[in-house]
């Protein structure tokens, strides 16, 4: 098996020399679960640059880890981006993040020519959280307690978070009956409609439906929905960037996070950050080390390698 040698800095330079980076993602990750709290989180930088399209106009999924730094803050991200130099930052055209102002401020300060995109999953999650909060509040207001197994809104909690296009006729009928029984003022129903409209807006070819939805939510009398509207409005430009960046999102970053977590689990955790950094740079670089395939062993034949 080919071994990965060298310092993290040498590995990083090797990665940076392979190709120019035109799109990247920033995200946090837990690298250890003990020690000082401020040192448990890392900021990861992932290359999202898409390979050239094939004859059918499609590209293969691709992502690679560029580097990680201890800490989860805008200052950590800004320092790393600034340290790469103008030649690196001037080529970045797209930066995908979750709705965290620290990373947004770092990108605004260092990647002035890049389009910032808030990830579709995190935007949808904000709407689902608002829906769940309304359900819990209405449940408390109408019953005077938290939900029990036989309460209508508690029974509807999973159906409420299912996309309308995935509801069968039986499921839709059940959901309607539960809402009629447990939602007397239609607050849960209205919030569910908002959630479904948000999901549907992301399926459209342009951002018209999303613009209309964001502009309307701030005037909703349901406090949780109005708060959602204010949050979406504050990120409106970054949300709408999804459509003019060829539907960019943080999917590649999450894929790299899975590789990082798998590497950490195989190693049974790390105590030394430099070793951790070098290991995950090797594992999530977009390359795979060559392994000599094992020779087949016939049934009943002794394995002399044992």
């Amino acid at each position: 098996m080919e071994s990965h040698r060298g310092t993290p800095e040498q590995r990083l330079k090797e990665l940076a020399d392979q190709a120019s980076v035109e799109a990247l993602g920033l995200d946090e990750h837990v690298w250890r679960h003990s020690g000082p709290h401020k040192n448990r989180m890392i900021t990861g930088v992932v290359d999202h640059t898409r390979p050239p399209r094939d004859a059918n106009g499609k590209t293969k999924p691709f992502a690679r880890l560029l580097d990680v730094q201890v800490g989860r803050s805008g200052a950590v991200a800004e320092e790393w981006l600034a340290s790469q130099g103008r030649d690196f930052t001037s080529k970045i055209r797209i930066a995908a993040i979750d709705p965290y102002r620290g990373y947004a401020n770092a990108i605004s300060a260092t990647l002035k020519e890049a389009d910032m995109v808030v990830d579709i999953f995190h935007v949808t999650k904000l709407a689902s959280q608002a829906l769940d909060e309304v359900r819990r509040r209405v449940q408390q207001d109408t019953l005077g307690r938290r939900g029990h197994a036989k309460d209508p809104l508690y029974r509807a909690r999973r159906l409420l978070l299912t996309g309308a296009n995935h509801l069968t006729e039986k499921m839709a009928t059940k959901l309607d009956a539960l809402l009629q029984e447990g939602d007397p003022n239609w607050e849960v129903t209205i919030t569910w409609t908002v959630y479904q409209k948000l999901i549907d807006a992301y399926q459209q070819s342009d951002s018209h439906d999303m613009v209309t939805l964001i502009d309307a939510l701030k005037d909703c009398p349901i406090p949780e929905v109005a708060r959602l509207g204010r949050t979406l409005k504050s990120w409106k430009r970054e949300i709408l960037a999804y459509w003019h960046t060829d539907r960019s999102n943080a999917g590649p970053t999450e894929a790299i996070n899975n590789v990082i977590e798998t590497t950490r689990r195989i190693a049974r955790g790390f105590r030394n950050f430099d070793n951790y950094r070098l290991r995950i740079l090797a594992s999530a670089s977009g390359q795979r080390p060559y392994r000599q395939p094992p020779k087949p062993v016939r049934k009943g034949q002794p394995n002399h390698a044992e």
Side-chain angles (χ1 to χ4, degrees):
M1 179 179 73
E2 178 184 343
S3 62
H4 293 282
R5 297 179 180 178
T7 66
E9 285 69 26
Q10 292 172 333
R11 183 62 181 162
L12 178 60
K13 184 178 186 303
E14 177 186 337
L15 290 172
D17 289 344
Q18 289 179 6
S20 62
V21 180
E22 298 178 356
L24 57 76
L26 293 173
D27 199 10
E28 76 279 357
H29 198 77
V30 177
W31 81 277
R32 61 184 300 177
H33 293 278
S34 61
H37 182 73
K38 65 179 181 179
N39 293 332
R40 296 179 190 179
M41 302 292 291
I42 60 171
T43 292
V45 186
V46 177
D47 181 10
H48 285 207
T49 307
R50 297 176 180 177
R53 296 183 181 274
D54 59 20
N56 298 321
K58 297 181 179 180
T59 61
K60 294 183 178 180
F62 177 78
R64 60 175 179 164
L65 181 66
L66 293 177
D67 199 8
V68 291
Q69 296 291 306
V70 175
R72 184 237 188 200
S73 68
V76 170
E78 184 174 346
E79 181 180 359
W80 187 91
L81 290 169
S83 69
Q84 304 310 301
R86 181 64 183 166
D87 287 343
F88 177 86
T89 57
S90 63
K91 297 175 183 177
I92 306 298
R93 294 290 176 263
I94 300 171
I97 60 171
D98 57 10
Y100 171 50
R101 281 296 170 194
Y103 290 157
N105 293 337
I107 291 170
S108 297
T110 55
L111 306 178
K112 300 185 183 298
E113 288 129 13
D115 286 321
M116 200 182 329
V117 185
V118 171
D119 181 49
I120 176 176
F121 168 78
H122 291 88
V123 175
T124 307
K125 186 178 180 181
L126 290 173
S128 68
Q129 288 175 339
L131 174 57
D132 202 49
E133 289 173 7
V134 173
R135 178 188 64 80
R136 292 171 184 267
R137 177 176 58 78
V138 171
Q139 200 164 244
Q140 188 72 33
D141 291 345
T142 55
L143 302 177
R145 55 172 171 75
R146 61 183 299 177
H148 292 176
K150 295 183 179 181
D151 295 334
L153 291 184
Y154 185 83
R155 292 171 58 196
R157 68 194 188 284
R158 298 188 187 279
L159 289 173
L160 287 169
L161 297 178
T162 303
N165 58 325
H166 294 296
L167 290 173
T168 64
E169 184 177 350
K170 182 179 179 180
M171 293 164 69
T173 301
K174 179 180 177 181
L175 178 59
D176 181 63
L178 293 173
L179 288 175
Q180 288 196 36
E181 183 181 354
D183 185 29
N185 297 321
W186 289 65
E187 290 184 279
V188 179
T189 305
I190 292 172
T191 310
W192 178 81
T193 303
V194 169
Y195 174 61
Q196 298 298 335
K197 284 186 175 181
L198 183 68
I199 294 175
D200 185 66
Y202 270 115
Q203 309 305 316
Q204 306 306 312
S205 59
D206 58 55
S207 61
H208 176 268
D209 288 357
M210 182 64 78
V211 173
T212 303
L213 181 63
I214 292 176
D215 291 343
L217 292 185
K218 59 182 175 57
D219 298 322
C220 182
I222 302 173
E224 294 86 352
V225 176
R227 187 187 67 219
L228 172 65
R230 292 192 295 271
T231 302
L232 297 184
K233 186 175 182 180
S234 69
W235 291 99
K236 184 176 180 179
R237 184 174 69 174
E238 292 79 10
I239 292 172
L240 300 184
Y242 173 78
W243 280 271
H244 64 258
T245 58
D246 195 18
R247 298 180 180 269
S248 298
N249 58 74
T253 301
E254 299 302 333
I256 290 298
N257 281 343
N258 286 337
V259 176
I260 292 174
E261 185 61 21
T262 299
T263 303
R264 189 178 69 84
R265 288 175 177 173
I266 291 174
R268 301 296 191 269
F270 290 87
R271 291 181 293 177
N272 182 289
F273 176 74
D274 288 336
N275 292 341
Y276 168 81
R277 182 173 175 235
L278 181 57
R279 182 76 69 85
I280 63 174
L281 282 173
S283 300
S285 65
Q287 305 292 326
R288 291 292 179 268
Y290 173 75
R291 287 182 170 83
Q292 181 69 34
K295 295 181 180 180
V297 178
R298 291 178 56 187
K299 185 176 181 180
Q301 178 183 353
N303 187 351
H304 299 291
E306 294 182 353

